Amino acid sequence: MASPGGAALQRHAAVAVLRAAAAAGDLSRVKALHAQIIRAAHFHVVLHNNLISVYAKCGQVGLARKVFDAMPFRNAVSGNLLMSGYSSSGRHKDSLALLREADFGLNEYVLSAAVAASAHVRSYEMGRQCHGYAVKAGLAGQPYVCNAVLHMYCQCARMEDAVKVFENMSGFDAFAVNSMINGFLDRGQLDCSVRIVAGIMGEVERWDDVSYVTVLGHCASMKDLVLGGQVHAQALKRRLELNVFVGSALVDMYGKCDRANDAQGAFDVLPEKNVVSWTAVMTAYTQNELYEDALQLFLDMETEGVKPNEFTYAVALNSCAGLAALRNGNALGACALKTGHWDHLVVGNALMNMYSKSGSIEDACRVFNSMPLCDVVSWNLIITGYAHHGLAREAMEVFHYMLSVGEVPSYVTFIGVLSACAQLGLVDEGFYYLNTMMKAFGVTPGKEHYTCMVGLLCRAGRLDEAERFIVDNCIGTDAVAWRSLLSSCQIYKNYGLGHRVAEQILQLKPNDIGTYVLLSNMYAKANRWDGVVKVRKQMKERGVRKEPGVSWIQVGTDVHVFTSEDKVHPQIDQITIKLEELIDQIKAIGYVPNFAVVLHDIEDEQKEEHLMYHSEKLALVFGLIHTPTGETIRIMKNLRICDDCHVAIKLISTVTSRKIVVRDAVRFHCIEGGVCSCDDYW
DNA sequence: TACACTCCAA
């Protein structure tokens, strides 16, 4: 009989080789050693626990389970090892099931694993029971248990419970603080995360790596560039800007704070870039409307050999949506399908968004119908997509269908619904949704909803009520609502009210050119040249420059960009000839150039030429020349389409028998047979 | 005596 010391030595040796084999990833060697151990050695719980551990680390949790089942008895470590094995392969439910049949002791390790598994499956019930058990067993004060419990409550959206646990903890604990901040961020309770972040800014030396990631996430949500910069400076002291987690969080923070260049800078210094860092920097560009740069990064990433995942596809598709690049989006969708990412919710939603923003609501619907599962975002995309395309009836139909299948509408859903009501002139229904149904679903109306209501009243011609509505609901500080009313004053030729509204808008000192153009048009139509002068003066004072009108169209794989009065396009002569021809044709059926649109003090003849070279007309003619007869033409414009072009394009759709879809800064105009889906109201 | 545990980025 070997001495006890000798057996211990053998066990140590066996464990060492076992671990070496596992570290080398040599599964067949592990299995051979397993057989040898069973044959040669007496049962020893620690040795068998090592077997469980090694199998679990090799991702062979089934084999780990076999070892576990074959043991004559187990201890808490055996249970904990198998539970962690299940958890690390994502089988949290199996981990919890093991707990229920437990014939091993429960200690603080097992409990924290159980609580962590409850957190992963978001089971408040299970997590609470474990917490209760921990309290009874006197283990609730153990730091690991405590942190796991805290995190579980955060994951299950029970911040009140989490706060109670947090307040009972003594001293600074990075894990606990990180969990609390993330919990509040996930729930959108920024006022609460502000307090925690403020409380730990003085203890930076006790932060861990995750704290940097978490606090940067807070800065991103708050768009707090000042605090974000301070955290960045602190991170530099520890060289944490090189850590891929911290680096990606920095990229995200700068992106959300509208600093695409700084995001790129944080990305560039990363020695090891993974799919998350690449996706983060693409997102930064997309959020800052630098869509081409984002798509270029997508190509660079592939060149670097990093494989895109579902988030990467979603961001790339959102960039295509921004450009209305239907063909590129289509190609990306095909790639996502081929690589098996297509059935992810984020990809399906991004595809729907891309199709919808590219003017193809039919394709968006096709994606929607083929999605294995959808969420409220998918429903919202369909509803708002229909509304933007002027298909309000369809939007309402989908909304009612959504309710009938028990889907809960959100804040965004009601924006789509109310704008559909506005298009259909359903004033009473609109107020019913705003005052009754939104309350029933616990959605607090925001300025977007109130703005829809203003549009609804305006469209019904109830301009005075719209004015009162703005004042009563305190949205008078928002130029968007006034702008809506101002457009209607022009349409209904109510220049008295229009003048009052214009004064209100001027007082708000807006920064966007679109508003000034609208104001100027209003004054011009009302023959108030003093107003036009005032508008120009304020524009100059506020440094608002006239943003050039840009339109673009995709033909084949190329995107062709046209700026207004830009006569440098290589095919401008051909375009001009065709355009003059078309203008003659539409003049024959009633087109009269609308000089009121032109703001310059020039002769009428020059004005006519000016109008002719509007970017959307150039893009349209280019499309007519380069696409086969009968094909739908899709044009994008950075500003709102101008009155004159709107009329001209409607008539051109008649004389050429083409369907023409124009996406402007606000909505879609689906023009066919001389009629526009916007009903000439936009 | 040996075996193990909680928080993070798009």
Side-chain angles (χ1 to χ4, degrees):
Chain A
M1 198 174 108
S3 70
L9 212 62
Q10 275 183 3
R11 273 203 306 280
H12 275 295
V15 168
V17 254
L18 202 51
R19 291 184 164 223
D26 189 347
L27 187 63
S28 48
R29 175 117 181 90
V30 171
K31 284 182 182 165
L33 287 163
H34 180 184
Q36 214 177 319
I37 287 165
I38 289 176
R39 264 202 313 277
H42 290 294
F43 171 76
H44 192 281
V45 72
V46 172
L47 191 53
H48 279 69
N49 282 349
N50 266 296
L51 271 171
I52 296 177
S53 164
V54 163
Y55 276 131
K57 286 204 176 94
C58 294
Q60 299 291 326
V61 68
L63 292 172
R65 177 79 209 215
K66 283 211 169 111
V67 174
F68 181 88
D69 286 338
M71 288 163 79
F73 64 90
R74 301 120 192 147
N75 64 11
V77 178
S78 330
N80 181 40
L81 280 167
L82 188 54
M83 285 176 74
S84 329
Y86 278 131
S87 288
S88 56
S89 47
R91 294 169 61 176
H92 303 285
K93 287 214 169 107
D94 290 324
S95 173
L96 289 169
L98 187 66
L99 189 72
R100 265 179 233 116
E101 55 180 83
D103 61 344
F104 48 85
L106 293 183
N107 63 9
E108 67 271 34
Y109 292 100
V110 176
L111 273 171
S112 40
V115 174
S118 311
H120 269 109
V121 298
R122 310 275 144 98
S123 172
Y124 174 65
E125 228 8 79
M126 189 72 197
R128 213 173 48 91
Q129 275 181 37
C130 293
H131 187 197
Y133 183 89
V135 172
K136 265 185 266 170
L139 296 169
Q142 296 279 347
Y144 282 111
V145 177
C146 208
N147 279 322
V149 166
L150 182 65
H151 179 240
M152 181 272 298
Y153 285 134
C154 290
Q155 290 287 88
C156 297
R158 302 291 179 137
M159 290 313 290
E160 329 77 60
D161 292 321
V163 167
K164 271 185 215 149
V165 177
F166 185 65
E167 281 172 351
N168 277 328
M169 296 175 72
S170 53
F172 179 93
D173 184 298
F175 279 97
V177 163
N178 300 344
S179 291
M180 290 303 287
I181 297 174
N182 279 315
F184 286 130
L185 288 187
D186 288 344
R187 313 277 319 141
Q189 300 181 14
L190 296 182
D191 46 333
C192 296
S193 67
V194 164
R195 254 175 286 148
I196 302 213
V197 169
I200 63 166
M201 282 312 288
E203 312 199 60
V204 198
E205 62 290 346
R206 295 161 77 183
W207 289 15
D208 67 0
D209 297 6
V210 181
S211 308
Y212 286 88
V213 176
T214 305
V215 176
L216 286 168
H218 165 83
C219 299
S221 299
M222 295 286 299
K223 289 190 164 225
D224 190 338
L225 185 61
V226 176
L227 189 61
Q230 284 170 17
V231 175
H232 191 178
Q234 291 293 339
L236 291 173
K237 288 189 193 165
R238 295 200 201 175
R239 307 254 63 191
L240 275 173
E241 81 280 11
L242 306 177
N243 171 304
V244 70
F245 279 84
V246 177
S248 302
L250 280 167
V251 170
D252 181 49
M253 182 276 291
Y254 282 122
K256 298 250 162 63
C257 294
D258 304 330
R259 295 295 185 112
N261 282 335
D262 293 321
Q264 175 79 55
F267 175 76
D268 287 340
V269 301
L270 281 176
E272 305 258 327
K273 302 165 170 70
N274 64 12
V275 61
V276 178
S277 24
W278 280 98
T279 310
V281 72
M282 282 173 59
T283 307
Y285 278 118
T286 305
Q287 281 164 346
N288 290 282
E289 298 178 0
L290 298 162
Y291 307 117
E292 289 99 330
D293 302 83
L295 289 174
Q296 183 57 51
L297 279 163
F298 185 80
L299 299 177
D300 296 345
M301 173 180 148
E302 294 232 277
T303 312
E304 296 287 318
V306 179
K307 292 260 169 292
N309 66 12
E310 64 272 25
F311 292 100
T312 325
Y313 279 110
V315 177
L317 283 166
N318 286 335
S319 301
C320 292
L323 295 166
L326 186 57
R327 281 163 209 272
N328 306 58
N330 247 330
L332 271 167
C335 280
L337 185 64
K338 215 162 52 191
T339 52
H341 294 292
W342 208 87
D343 50 357
H344 279 98
L345 192 58
V346 279
V347 176
N349 285 344
L351 264 170
M352 285 175 63
N353 182 40
M354 184 277 294
Y355 281 126
S356 176
K357 295 236 162 69
S358 302
S360 183
I361 189 74
E362 303 83 6
D363 285 313
C365 287
R366 191 176 47 73
V367 174
F368 181 70
N369 290 325
S370 71
M371 280 165 70
L373 67 154
C374 65
D375 64 358
V376 67
V377 174
S378 328
W379 288 100
N380 292 349
L381 281 165
I382 288 289
I383 293 170
T384 55
Y386 272 133
H388 278 134
H389 282 79
L391 298 165
R393 225 167 275 291
E394 285 80 354
M396 294 307 290
E397 232 167 72
V398 174
F399 173 62
H400 288 122
Y401 179 63
M402 170 183 178
L403 295 181
S404 74
V405 298
E407 187 69 47
V408 178
S410 71
Y411 189 92
V412 176
T413 317
F414 285 105
I415 298 174
V417 168
L418 292 178
S419 75
C421 287
Q423 284 177 35
L424 296 170
L426 302 172
V427 178
D428 295 340
E429 284 87 340
F431 276 102
Y432 166 74
Y433 293 128
L434 181 78
N435 296 325
T436 311
M437 197 180 265
M438 285 180 67
K439 204 165 278 171
F441 283 106
V443 179
T444 312
K447 68 170 190 229
E448 294 97 332
H449 302 108
Y450 291 125
T451 307
C452 284
M453 294 309 290
V454 173
L456 175 57
L457 289 166
C458 286
R459 215 161 158 159
R462 291 152 73 163
L463 304 188
D464 296 326
E465 282 173 70
E467 186 190 15
R468 205 169 333 119
F469 188 89
I470 293 177
V471 177
D472 289 350
N473 289 286
C474 307
I475 47 171
T477 51
D478 183 31
V480 182
W482 287 121
R483 267 181 63 162
S484 176
L485 181 52
L486 188 65
S487 305
S488 301
C489 290
Q490 286 184 54
I491 287 163
Y492 288 99
K493 299 189 166 43
N494 186 341
Y495 298 123
L497 179 57
H499 186 255
R500 249 197 348 268
V501 173
E503 294 290 310
Q504 290 283 351
I505 296 178
L506 280 171
Q507 272 177 28
L508 294 172
K509 301 196 190 302
N511 278 322
D512 62 303
I513 181 73
T515 301
Y516 286 105
V517 170
L518 196 64
L519 285 167
S520 180
N521 284 345
M522 206 296 299
Y523 283 122
K525 279 187 189 167
N527 284 317
R528 290 291 298 257
W529 302 104
D530 56 325
V532 174
V533 170
K534 197 154 45 167
V535 170
R536 287 192 197 159
K537 189 163 157 266
Q538 195 178 96
M539 267 176 74
K540 218 177 247 171
E541 279 168 14
R542 304 207 42 83
V544 178
R545 281 185 300 127
K546 196 162 159 41
E547 187 182 342
V550 179
S551 297
W552 64 99
I553 181 169
Q554 193 168 23
V555 172
T557 50
D558 298 323
V559 175
H560 296 264
V561 183
F562 297 87
T563 52
S564 288
E565 292 176 83
D566 153 22
K567 296 168 191 173
V568 296
H569 191 277
Q571 296 176 34
I572 191 65
D573 292 338
Q574 204 191 343
I575 293 171
T576 307
I577 292 168
K578 176 82 180 167
L579 183 52
E580 281 171 349
E581 209 180 287
L582 281 168
I583 297 219
D584 285 342
Q585 278 177 280
I586 60 175
K587 274 184 176 166
I589 56 170
Y591 169 67
V592 180
N594 181 355
F595 295 153
V597 171
V598 184
L599 294 180
H600 309 293
D601 291 323
I602 45 177
E603 298 297 319
D604 280 1
E605 201 169 308
Q606 283 175 293
K607 281 187 183 169
E608 184 163 354
E609 190 186 318
H610 196 277
L611 284 175
M612 203 173 117
Y613 286 100
H614 270 186
S615 63
E616 51 268 59
K617 290 199 190 85
L618 299 177
L620 168 62
V621 172
F622 184 84
L624 285 169
I625 295 171
H626 290 97
T627 56
T629 312
E631 188 171 293
T632 300
I633 295 183
R634 297 170 196 282
I635 300 164
M636 276 60 66
K637 188 177 180 193
N638 63 334
L639 310 173
R640 286 156 62 104
I641 188 172
C642 96
D643 275 318
D644 181 70
C645 288
H646 195 254
V647 171
I649 294 176
K650 282 197 294 182
L651 294 171
I652 291 173
S653 80
T654 305
V655 300
T656 60
S657 307
R658 292 271 199 143
K659 181 176 174 188
I660 301 160
V661 180
V662 183
R663 186 188 90 168
D664 74 9
V666 183
R667 58 165 298 144
F668 281 101
H669 301 267
C670 306
I671 300 167
E672 202 171 5
V675 180
C676 181
S677 62
C678 80
D679 252 344
D680 304 335
Y681 191 107
W682 75 94

